[in-house]
């Protein structure tokens, strides 16, 4: 939801995939005939996302001004008990 502010579906998908690739864990690597290998990543845990910086989210994941809101949300969730709260 945080990524969807003032955005369209293809761009939201791109941001979520970048977050998964940057902070998630590799799940599966597959290569089709004649193409580059493609790796699928898990959605990162709250602890994994806690390692993110504003610069990571802005520059590597393309969140722009939304990065600070995601970081604030991560901190609120951590303060409430982290994964067990969810």
């Amino acid at each position: 939801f945080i990524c969807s502010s003032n955005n369209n579906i293809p761009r939201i998908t791109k941001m979520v995939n970048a977050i998964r690739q940057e902070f998630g864990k590799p799940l599966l690597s597959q290569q089709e005939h004649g193409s580059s290998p493609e790796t699928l990543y898990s959605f990162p845990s709250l602890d994994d996302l806690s390692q993110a910086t504003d610069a990571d989210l802005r520059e590597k994941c393309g969140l722009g001004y939304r990065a600070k809101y995601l970081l604030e949300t991560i901190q609120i969730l951590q303060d409430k008990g982290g994964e067990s709260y969810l």
Side-chain angles (χ1 to χ4, degrees):
F1 184 76
I2 293 170
C3 294
S4 68
S5 174
N6 217 12
N7 235 331
N8 58 50
I9 292 172
R11 188 146 192 285
I12 295 165
T13 302
K14 186 176 178 181
M15 287 190 293
V16 170
N17 286 340
I19 290 169
R20 290 172 54 185
Q21 186 171 349
E22 192 65 33
F23 300 103
K25 304 212 179 342
L27 296 174
L28 172 71
S29 249
Q30 184 174 337
Q31 183 171 2
E32 296 292 325
H33 295 292
S35 66
S36 300
E38 183 178 346
T39 303
L40 301 176
Y41 295 86
S42 67
F43 196 82
S45 69
L46 186 57
D47 288 337
D48 292 334
L49 277 176
S50 295
Q51 306 306 310
T53 66
D54 186 78
D56 289 336
L57 295 173
R58 282 179 180 273
E59 297 163 17
K60 294 179 181 177
C61 300
L63 266 70
Y65 72 89
R66 299 165 197 85
K68 78 173 190 171
Y69 300 113
L70 182 55
L71 290 171
E72 289 171 1
T73 301
I74 292 166
Q75 187 59 55
I76 289 168
L77 291 172
Q78 290 288 34
D79 292 346
K80 291 188 178 282
E83 295 280 338
S84 61
Y85 174 75
L86 299 174

